[in-house]
Structure formats: structure tokens, C-alpha cells
Amino acid sequence: IAEKDSGDVEVLDAMFLRASHFARIGDKDEAYKAHDAILSRTKISTGRKIDAAMSKIRVMLFHGDVTKLRDEIENAKKLNEIGGDWDRRNRLKVYEAFYLESVRDMKSAASLLLECVATFTCYELCTYEEFIFHMVSTNILYLPRTTIKKRIVDGPEVLAVLPSLPQLYKLVNSLYNCDYKGFMAAMVEINEQLLSDRYLSLHACYLIKELRILAYTQYLDAYRSVVVESMAKAFGVSEAFLDVELSRFIAAGRLNAQIDKVGGVVETNRPDKKNAQYQAAIKQGDILLNKIQKLARITDV
């Protein structure tokens, strides 16, 4: 009826309302169809197409439909290149970051979230406090200390929000100030918040593990060797717990150290970058020689 009695603008508005209705009642399949119907229209501006694509991405994020999200995000990026504005591009970065979190590509997500701190307008997806929680929780794992100090510890956008996120404030500052006992206590509180988050709940154990490795690495970087008892006191844990933790991470190649059980000492063995590059060059050279020899045999035949 709307298509017969109304103009293109009214019809398009009705189609958006229809898509929004299916999204609100949780009918995923019908919501997808309604958005696809908008995207397939010929008489529609690029801006409205981007809005429809981003609305469909929100539905996919809500339902955790990650298998199709990558393609939808790429399509939205192409539309943004054709006729997207600054606001839509920035909002799409947040959408992509949340998708990357859901597939555990935390480093790429962290980079995108950090880019959007000063320009965040994506309130349809999350609040600014939730955004800062995601940004800090991921970036703390990858940023060097100097950048953490500049962008997180002293960052004005973050400082404006951190008082409403006391657990996160404690986590960041205890790590930066090398208060490892306080850091371990803050992780327990942060874990509860991670478990209640729609996008990070499935990865809470992974994030907590990476935070522990980060703290252990930072602590051991200051020593050539350290007594296990002293390290356990610094972290506020038992020696038995610390021994199990370090053994597991050393065996997995995540910590450059070894444990002297007899002496009760942890010895660090920092990797030699030049030696590693030399070994890599030799390995690549061997591979190249093997290929040349195979090629020579073929040509001789």
C-alpha cells in the first residue's frame, strides 16, 4: 500500500521501520531479509545504504552471527569509500572492533578502538563507559608503557570515565606502578565485569590469562634471576600457585625464563634478536637451496 500511495522517501522510511521492528522483536531471519530489501533498492542514497548495512551488522553482532559478519563489514567499508562521511566511518570502526573481539583478534580490535577514543559517537552500540572498558581492557595487553602512560593513564578522555570504572582504574594504575599484588586483586574484580559483557564474556579466561602473562613478563624483565618466594610475595600468591603458573607459561613459550627448583629461583633468559635473525636467515637459505636443487633436477631431465 505504501509503495502505491507514497513517494520513494516515505517507502524507504517504512522499510527501515519494518527492519527495525524485526530487529527489536529478535526475528533474525526476517530482519536480515528486511535489510537486504533496502540494500537492493536502486532509488536510495549511499548514506542510507550505509545506514542499512550498519543496522544489519548490529543485528548480527547481537545474535553473535560472526560467520557472515566479515563480509557485511567489508561491504559497508566499500559503501563508505563511495559516499560515506566521517561519522559513519568512525562508527564502522567500532563495529569492526567489536566483531574482531568476538573472533578473538584482540590486537586488531585494540588498534581500532584506540583510534576512536576522541571521536566516539557510536551510542547505538554501547555507552561511552562500555567503550572505554573495551578499549582499555584490550590495549593494555599490547601498548608499550610509554604509550599506556600517554593514552590511558594520563589520557583526558579515559580519565573522564575511569572514576565510574574503579576496577579498571585500579588495574591500569597498579600495573603501571608495578603494584603486582594490587594488580592480581583488580583482575578478580575485572573478571566479573568481563563475564557480564556481551562481546568479551566468551574470552574472559583468555584475557585474564594474557593479563597475568603481561604482569609476569613485566616483573621478570627487571631481573636476571629472582627468588620464587620473593616473587610470590610481590604478587600476593602462594609459591605453589606461582610455580604452576610459571611452569605452564614457560613450557608454552610465553615467558623467557626457567625455574631452578633446587635453588628456588627463576632465571630469565632474554631472547637474542640478532641470533634469532641469523638462524632465520640460515633456515630460509636452506629452503631456497632445496628448491634450486629440485629445479635443477627437473631441468636436467
Side-chain angles (χ1 to χ4, degrees):
I1 296 172
E3 290 182 352
K4 291 180 180 178
D5 301 338
S6 305
D8 291 333
V9 175
E10 289 78 9
V11 170
L12 190 60
D13 288 341
M15 293 179 77
F16 268 99
L17 287 172
R18 186 169 182 269
S20 176
H21 166 72
F22 287 126
R24 288 172 67 87
I25 64 173
D27 192 336
K28 179 178 72 172
D29 294 332
E30 288 299 323
Y32 289 173
K33 290 177 184 177
H35 285 100
D36 288 339
I38 297 171
L39 291 167
S40 63
R41 284 182 67 86
T42 53
K43 294 182 179 180
I44 180 173
S45 66
T46 305
R48 296 305 297 274
K49 267 194 175 183
I50 296 170
D51 291 340
M54 292 175 70
S55 178
K56 186 179 179 182
I57 292 170
R58 285 201 303 276
V59 177
M60 289 180 163
L61 283 170
F62 179 83
H63 291 283
D65 198 354
V66 296
T67 54
K68 301 175 183 176
L69 259 171
R70 179 76 266 173
D71 291 337
E72 291 299 329
I73 290 171
E74 289 302 321
N75 290 336
K77 281 183 176 180
K78 289 176 183 176
L79 289 170
N80 262 309
E81 289 172 5
I82 295 169
D85 56 20
W86 171 85
D87 178 62
R88 289 185 175 99
R89 287 193 183 95
N90 278 281
R91 283 163 51 212
L92 186 59
K93 285 182 182 179
V94 181
Y95 284 45
E96 185 177 7
F98 277 44
Y99 157 71
L100 290 169
E101 284 183 342
S102 65
V103 296
R104 201 175 283 184
D105 186 354
M106 297 298 175
K107 190 170 186 178
S108 299
S111 178
L112 287 171
L113 291 169
L114 191 63
E115 288 179 27
C116 299
V117 171
T119 57
F120 178 80
T121 56
C122 196
Y123 294 102
E124 72 275 13
L125 198 61
C126 64
T127 65
Y128 190 57
E129 288 77 11
E130 290 170 337
F131 169 80
I132 290 295
F133 177 77
H134 281 250
M135 188 277 290
V136 174
S137 300
T138 53
N139 275 280
I140 195 175
L141 297 172
Y142 306 107
L143 293 179
R145 279 177 61 83
T146 52
T147 310
I148 288 176
K149 174 70 172 173
K150 181 180 178 182
R151 300 297 301 271
I152 296 178
V153 175
D154 293 338
E157 298 89 357
V158 179
L159 287 174
V161 175
L162 280 183
S164 62
L165 300 168
Q167 303 94 335
L168 195 63
Y169 180 81
K170 185 178 177 182
L171 183 82
V172 172
N173 281 276
S174 58
L175 179 67
Y176 185 78
N177 295 320
C178 302
D179 175 15
Y180 299 107
K181 189 174 183 179
F183 180 80
M184 295 295 276
M187 272 202 307
V188 176
E189 298 173 354
I190 283 292
N191 187 51
E192 295 298 320
Q193 200 163 349
L194 289 171
L195 289 171
S196 63
D197 187 274
R198 171 179 293 277
Y199 306 101
L200 297 176
S201 58
L202 293 175
H203 314 292
C205 290
Y206 168 80
L207 289 169
I208 293 297
K209 181 195 73 175
E210 292 298 313
L211 286 169
R212 298 202 309 274
I213 292 172
L214 176 66
Y216 295 146
T217 302
Q218 180 174 292
Y219 180 88
L220 291 171
D221 278 347
Y223 302 95
R224 289 190 66 86
S225 64
V226 62
V227 177
V228 175
E229 181 184 1
S230 174
M231 187 174 177
K233 285 181 179 178
F235 280 87
V237 297
S238 68
E239 291 181 47
F241 174 83
L242 186 63
D243 182 70
V244 172
E245 283 270 280
L246 295 180
S247 299
R248 183 157 62 98
F249 295 140
I250 290 170
R254 300 302 306 278
L255 291 176
N256 297 307
Q258 57 187 20
I259 301 174
D260 180 355
K261 289 285 287 185
V262 177
V265 173
V266 180
E267 299 176 351
T268 59
N269 47 5
R270 295 177 181 83
D272 186 345
K273 289 184 179 179
K274 286 187 178 179
N275 186 50
Q277 290 172 350
Y278 175 71
Q279 294 296 334
I282 291 175
K283 186 176 180 180
Q284 290 171 358
D286 288 340
I287 293 170
L288 180 61
L289 284 171
N290 289 333
K291 288 182 178 179
I292 291 171
Q293 288 172 354
K294 288 179 181 178
L295 182 62
R297 291 193 201 103
I298 294 170
T299 52
D300 288 343
V301 174

